[in-house]
Amino acid sequence: MTSIRLVLFDLDGTLADTAPDLAGAVNRMLLARGREPLPLSELRPVASHGARGLIGRAFGLTPADAAYEALRQEFFAEYESALCEVSTLFPTMAETLGSLEEDGLAWGI
């Protein structure tokens, strides 16, 4: 039997709840166009699909649409400009990481 030496986590949506920052990026884009922001409860289900899901929900566009790529680039810039403002670790993740370290296991993202 192989012993575990390393545990890897996906960051967005697994280790950290980044949906509020992702939603904030697309909502700033809506506000810049004079549109109302969408509630987090409406954006959270599509946040795991990243820019594609959020732009799709907020603007009704897909990667096949001509305007999509410009919005995608704008989304990335918006997200980068306000990265980790309200993102948090999911409950018990800090304890989980501490437990891994106590057991001598390396972890990463």
Side-chain angles (χ1 to χ4, degrees):
M1 180 180 261
T2 305
S3 65
I4 297 172
R5 298 182 317 177
L6 173 67
V7 178
L8 295 175
F9 294 93
D10 174 63
L11 178 66
D12 295 315
T14 302
L15 183 66
D17 182 6
T18 56
D21 283 329
L22 291 163
V26 80
N27 275 332
R28 287 189 299 281
M29 293 169 64
L30 288 168
L31 288 168
R33 290 161 175 79
R35 295 177 56 187
E36 290 293 316
L38 297 172
L40 178 59
S41 61
E42 201 169 313
L43 293 172
R44 182 179 290 282
V46 297
S48 64
H49 299 287
R52 184 177 344 134
L54 292 160
I55 291 169
R57 176 57 197 95
F59 295 97
L61 298 176
T62 71
D65 293 300
Y68 176 84
E69 185 56 29
L71 286 174
R72 182 175 160 279
Q73 293 304 317
E74 181 182 343
F75 173 81
F76 290 146
E78 281 292 337
Y79 185 49
E80 183 179 13
S81 74
L83 195 59
C84 298
E85 287 195 348
V86 291
S87 292
T88 59
L89 291 179
F90 278 111
T92 74
M93 288 311 294
E95 293 85 358
T96 298
L97 298 176
S99 179
L100 291 172
E101 289 178 359
E102 286 175 13
D103 291 343
L105 294 172
W107 63 271
I109 298 170

